[in-house]
Amino acid sequence: MSSENPLDDEDTFKILIATDIHLGYLEKDAIRGNDSYNTLNEILKCAKTNQVDFILLGGDLFHENKPSRRCLHSSITMLRKYCMGDSPVTFNILSDQTVNFNTTQFPWVNYQDENLNISIPVFSIHGNHDDPTGAEGLCALDLLSASGLVNHFGHSHSVERIEISPVLMQKGRTKLALYGLGSIPDERLYRMFVNNQVSMLRPKEDQDEWFNLFTIHQNRSKHGPTNYIPEQFLDDFIDLVVWGHEHECLIAPTRNEQQLFYVTQPGSSVATSLSPGEATKKHIGLLRVKGRKMNLQKIPLKTVRQFFIQDVVLADYEDLFTPDTPQVMKKVEDLCYAKVTEMLDEAERERLGSSLTPEKPLIRLRVDYSGGFEVFNTSRFSQKFVDRVANPKDIIHFLRRREQKEDIKDDANVDYSKLLKVTAVEGLRVEDLVKQYFEAAEEKVQLSLLTEKGMGKAIQEFVDKDEKDAIEELITFQLEKAQRHLQARGVSTEEDIDKEVRHFRDSKKNTTEEEDDIKEAMNRAKAHQRERGDETVDPDISDEVTDVTMDSDEGSAPAPTRGRGRGARGRGSRGRGRGAAASEPKPAGRGRSQKSSAATQSRSIMQAFQAPSRSSRTVAAMSFAVDEVTIEDSDEDTPFMKAAKHPARPSSSSLPKYSSQSQSQSSRGVAFDDSDDDEDNPFKGPGRSRR
């Protein structure tokens, strides 16, 4: 790319945008182990080549909550290589940095640290893979923050109220307000938005002069009634939203016609699941902001492994075979072989001239064998491509559609499209599996003290984050709380105890108190673990890594599965001598077969998380002045300017004041005078918008 561009001047912010890098994904795989590291290296090298002002990451920098030594070493090495240097940083931070960077003992931006020499600052929020855990609420990003390599922002410490305070930046005459919100369970954040418990702070002075950029890491697509965050929940003074967590690359900004802001979804830089959304070409973005105008340039990633996916419905090939055709299985296998070979040929054609693209592509063929067909041996089939593909073990994925029986009362109003559903589901979360188990279980094996949500959360902590004592400590905490509840109510008979425990459990299901108490119990469990001096086994020491699919591109909250040989060191080592402690309370049976004295020890499990009910706080709505934003876009390669002098660190007395703003109900419009014929893409050509 050229070194000069008329768009790059002393008033223009240049920001490199990327999300969901998932560093360390399948790092022990012989073929795909270096994919995430190569792509991060390409992203950082691109930032340095383009002389950006800073890098903005939208969460999930790390794939594991506890990255291995290799993963941490590689990330630190690359950040030091590309982000440190003598090039001056040409923008100032105007906001209160002790509020913006509240997760470190060095609460200021790293390039203003007199002991560091930073040329490209990195600002990042945390995702659901590398989210804070433990009583201290620390995550892997905090390690990089303490070492001065990354500026971790957007971490909310409160579970009752979220106030998003922006990082206020100024370069020349351009003022940029950078908002960030790290990953929060979607159901909880959804409820907080509904209850007006989320507010975004704005400067009191010159509100119309700020370009407002918001980074979020949540479900964007709807996975349930409250298991996502609608775009309409976000404040309408925002100009651009960088949406992380969704893996499908939809980096071209789209306009929300209700809130009248734009949303860009960069997607992941490595395929963590073999789903259609991951097959789209991977990009990062180069965002230019000058005044109230912006320009977003797509930059394709060259080190990403190719991924091709096709669907085959065997019933559509009646002219070739039917379930009754002789040797039909052989003919089906030949068809699949032809399809895979076709995708491999296409991959080879696309790879010509690109030396950075890995040689072996990812191939996925989803075969619908509904209608009486039989499946063939996939292991034997995969051996034919073991030297040509990166995922030989899971090239073929068989699925079958079956008719779901539903209660049909009115034949005239039947939606027949819902009668056929795919039974194969990829990317299920641990909580979903727990919920499905108890929904299908008989009455005699239902939970009496625990709720499904609490049990699912404890199991998720055990599976995702290797917290070996999560389940046991959670149960102990909840049992104690249930016992206190029974004593306070003065219940004595066995029948009353059973009734009161069930009532106590049911009263807290699907409430805010339930989520708050789960978090409180998990924090106490981790604190107890530290008090006992237990050491966590180094995640870098493991037996093997299983080749599994992770996040769906559609944003389902992942449950990363590690092939760490837990049977040898996980569950088997969790006893810690508790069984011999006479004073340790044991959960009572589900039954009414327990005696009264034993029943009083039945301390509730999930509902034992009583927390004082929170009153819903309302935020005073403030009207704001009509904004004027002009947005530009260009698909051409753009050159880059030389940076100016290193700015002086602003004094705290010069920091602007903030005012709280809830979701305003006032509408604002964006009208474009665009000479381009393509009206669907407002980023084509120099366009002006008026709000």
Side-chain angles (χ1 to χ4, degrees):
M1 304 184 76
S2 58
S3 59
E4 295 181 359
N5 189 302
L7 295 177
D8 300 336
D9 54 30
E10 64 275 6
D11 297 326
T12 302
F13 275 98
K14 287 201 300 182
I15 309 166
L16 190 78
I17 297 177
T19 65
D20 296 272
I21 295 174
H22 288 275
L23 197 65
Y25 175 68
L26 289 184
E27 62 181 345
K28 295 185 180 179
D29 186 275
I31 300 175
R32 304 163 64 184
N34 292 324
D35 286 3
S36 61
Y37 299 109
N38 293 337
T39 303
L40 176 61
N41 187 80
E42 180 186 4
I43 292 172
L44 296 178
K45 185 177 181 180
C46 179
K48 188 171 183 178
T49 302
N50 288 300
Q51 299 176 353
V52 300
D53 290 302
F54 65 89
I55 299 172
L56 179 61
L57 302 180
D60 280 351
L61 172 61
F62 296 100
H63 183 70
E64 299 284 356
N65 190 266
K66 298 177 181 178
S68 66
R69 285 191 294 268
R70 177 201 175 188
C71 186
L72 287 173
H73 178 267
S74 298
S75 61
I76 292 172
T77 300
M78 286 185 279
L79 288 169
R80 179 175 176 177
K81 176 180 178 181
Y82 292 106
C83 298
M84 283 187 166
D86 295 328
S87 300
V89 178
T90 58
F91 65 91
N92 286 322
I93 304 292
L94 306 180
S95 53
D96 185 354
Q97 299 185 42
T98 60
V99 177
N100 299 141
F101 312 112
N102 54 12
T103 63
T104 175
Q105 296 183 9
F106 309 98
W108 54 80
V109 69
N110 61 351
Y111 76 85
Q112 291 181 350
D113 193 312
E114 59 185 9
N115 299 313
L116 300 174
N117 202 21
I118 303 296
S119 60
I120 303 179
V122 178
F123 294 87
S124 178
I125 62 174
H126 63 263
N128 58 310
H129 278 259
D130 50 13
D131 60 326
T133 59
E136 298 89 353
L138 297 176
C139 63
L141 278 179
D142 293 317
L143 298 179
L144 301 181
S145 176
S147 61
L149 297 172
V150 168
N151 301 293
H152 180 201
F153 74 110
H155 182 194
S156 176
H157 295 278
S158 174
V159 296
E160 296 185 357
R161 179 162 197 81
I162 297 176
E163 287 188 347
I164 307 174
S165 181
V167 181
L168 299 180
M169 309 175 179
Q170 183 168 2
K171 181 180 180 182
R173 292 175 295 177
T174 300
K175 297 179 180 180
L176 175 68
L178 176 61
Y179 296 84
L181 182 60
S183 177
I184 296 176
D186 291 289
E187 294 86 350
R188 179 192 302 168
L189 186 59
Y190 185 101
R191 186 159 44 247
M192 295 181 75
F193 269 113
V194 170
N195 294 333
N196 289 326
Q197 294 172 320
V198 181
S199 58
M200 302 180 72
L201 305 182
R202 300 186 68 187
K204 287 184 178 179
E205 302 174 356
D206 303 324
Q207 291 186 358
D208 298 339
E209 297 182 4
W210 293 89
F211 184 90
N212 301 292
L213 176 62
F214 182 39
T215 307
I216 188 173
H217 191 95
Q218 304 290 153
N219 279 343
R220 185 181 179 191
S221 56
K222 188 173 182 180
H223 295 273
T226 61
N227 194 18
Y228 76 115
I229 302 301
E231 295 178 6
Q232 287 73 16
F233 281 3
L234 306 183
D235 285 284
D236 55 3
F237 67 82
I238 297 172
D239 297 303
L240 178 65
V241 179
V242 178
W243 207 296
H245 184 58
E246 301 284 359
H247 281 205
E248 184 176 4
C249 182
L250 302 173
I251 198 168
T254 56
R255 183 185 182 187
N256 183 291
E257 296 298 336
Q258 181 173 342
Q259 300 297 88
L260 301 178
F261 52 61
Y262 289 88
V263 181
T264 177
Q265 181 178 303
S268 66
S269 57
V270 60
T272 60
S273 66
L274 301 179
S275 53
E278 296 277 21
T280 57
K281 302 303 179 184
K282 305 291 187 182
H283 294 80
I284 55 176
L286 181 58
L287 176 67
R288 289 178 172 85
V289 177
K290 182 176 182 180
R292 299 301 303 275
K293 301 178 182 179
M294 74 177 185
N295 169 289
L296 185 62
Q297 174 189 348
K298 298 191 301 182
I299 301 178
L301 293 172
K302 300 177 182 178
T303 58
V304 176
R305 190 175 296 275
Q306 296 169 293
F307 175 34
F308 295 88
I309 184 171
Q310 280 191 24
D311 291 333
V312 173
V313 180
L314 299 183
D316 295 342
Y317 293 86
E318 296 179 354
D319 54 333
L320 297 179
F321 47 72
T322 65
D324 300 327
T325 302
Q327 296 183 337
V328 61
M329 191 176 299
K330 179 66 168 58
K331 295 184 178 181
V332 170
E333 187 172 346
D334 292 342
L335 173 66
C336 294
Y337 182 89
K339 294 291 184 181
V340 172
T341 303
E342 177 184 328
M343 288 188 280
L344 285 171
D345 293 340
E346 182 181 356
E348 188 173 353
R349 287 192 299 271
E350 289 188 6
R351 195 170 59 250
L352 291 176
S354 179
S355 60
L356 298 178
T357 304
E359 180 180 356
K360 297 180 180 180
L362 296 170
I363 300 295
R364 183 71 148 184
L365 186 65
R366 302 193 299 186
V367 182
D368 184 349
Y369 66 104
S370 306
F373 291 94
E374 298 293 335
V375 301
F376 54 79
N377 189 316
T378 57
S379 299
R380 184 179 58 202
F381 179 86
S382 300
Q383 291 300 316
K384 302 175 183 178
F385 302 97
V386 69
D387 294 327
R388 301 183 63 187
V389 301
N391 59 317
K393 295 182 180 179
D394 49 11
I395 298 176
I396 302 293
H397 175 63
F398 284 106
L399 57 90
R400 181 171 58 185
R401 301 176 186 273
R402 66 179 181 185
E403 183 176 344
Q404 299 288 336
K405 295 182 179 180
E406 297 181 359
D407 294 333
I408 303 176
K409 298 180 179 179
D410 187 359
D411 292 340
N413 297 322
V414 174
D415 185 358
Y416 291 97
S417 64
K418 296 182 179 180
L419 295 181
L420 294 178
K421 298 181 180 179
V422 180
T423 59
V425 180
E426 299 182 5
L428 272 180
R429 300 179 301 164
V430 174
E431 307 99 298
D432 298 332
L433 295 175
V434 173
K435 183 177 180 181
Q436 290 179 9
Y437 171 79
F438 286 110
E439 285 179 350
E442 300 177 1
E443 180 66 27
K444 62 181 180 180
V445 295
Q446 291 292 336
L447 294 172
S448 298
L449 300 175
L450 292 168
T451 61
E452 294 83 358
K453 190 171 186 178
M455 177 62 78
K457 178 63 176 177
I459 296 176
Q460 182 190 18
E461 290 287 323
F462 176 81
V463 174
D464 287 4
K465 301 171 184 177
D466 205 23
E467 296 290 350
K468 294 182 288 295
D469 290 335
I471 300 174
E472 184 171 355
E473 292 289 355
L474 180 66
I475 292 174
T476 300
F477 173 80
Q478 294 177 341
L479 286 174
E480 291 173 352
K481 198 152 189 178
Q483 187 181 46
R484 290 194 297 271
H485 174 76
L486 293 174
Q487 291 174 348
R489 298 298 296 266
V491 181
S492 58
T493 65
E494 180 179 350
E495 182 178 353
D496 292 341
I497 288 175
D498 187 73
K499 182 184 299 184
E500 184 64 30
V501 166
R502 291 183 179 275
H503 175 73
F504 182 64
R505 170 185 180 272
D506 296 337
S507 64
K508 298 299 177 183
K509 293 181 71 172
N510 300 322
T511 64
T512 305
E513 286 91 349
E514 180 184 14
E515 290 186 355
D516 296 339
D517 291 336
I518 293 174
K519 184 172 183 179
E520 178 185 352
M522 295 312 301
N523 288 339
R524 291 189 184 184
K526 291 159 188 171
H528 293 163
Q529 183 176 354
R530 289 195 311 276
E531 290 173 2
R532 293 193 304 271
D534 293 344
E535 296 183 358
T536 304
V537 179
D538 194 320
D540 196 39
I541 304 174
S542 60
D543 298 333
E544 61 179 357
V545 171
T546 306
D547 187 3
V548 295
T549 59
M550 304 309 300
D551 287 359
S552 166
D553 61 284
E554 300 181 1
S556 61
T561 306
R562 308 182 189 92
R564 299 191 184 280
R566 282 196 181 87
R569 63 174 182 84
R571 295 179 179 86
S573 61
R574 293 176 60 242
R576 306 196 190 284
R578 287 192 185 85
S583 60
E584 184 71 12
K586 299 180 180 179
R590 310 206 199 292
R592 307 174 181 266
S593 63
Q594 298 289 337
K595 294 189 178 180
S596 177
S597 60
T600 57
Q601 296 182 2
S602 305
R603 292 166 283 177
S604 172
I605 294 181
M606 215 18 272
Q607 305 315 319
F609 289 109
Q610 285 277 68
S613 60
R614 299 193 303 266
S615 59
S616 182
R617 305 182 189 177
T618 57
V619 183
M622 299 180 60
S623 60
F624 49 86
V626 177
D627 299 330
E628 181 175 352
V629 179
T630 304
I631 302 173
E632 304 185 347
D633 183 33
S634 171
D635 291 333
E636 299 178 358
D637 289 348
T638 52
F640 313 94
M641 64 186 202
K642 298 264 188 181
K645 245 174 151 183
H646 195 295
R649 183 174 176 178
S651 62
S652 59
S653 60
S654 65
L655 299 177
K657 298 180 180 178
Y658 294 95
S659 64
S660 176
Q661 163 118 0
S662 67
Q663 284 185 229
S664 174
Q665 299 301 322
S666 60
S667 61
R668 57 182 186 138
V670 180
F672 290 94
D673 267 339
D674 199 343
S675 58
D676 213 330
D677 293 333
D678 188 2
E679 297 181 357
D680 294 334
N681 187 359
F683 287 75
K684 279 285 186 185
R688 298 192 57 83
S689 62
R690 189 167 289 124
R691 299 186 181 180

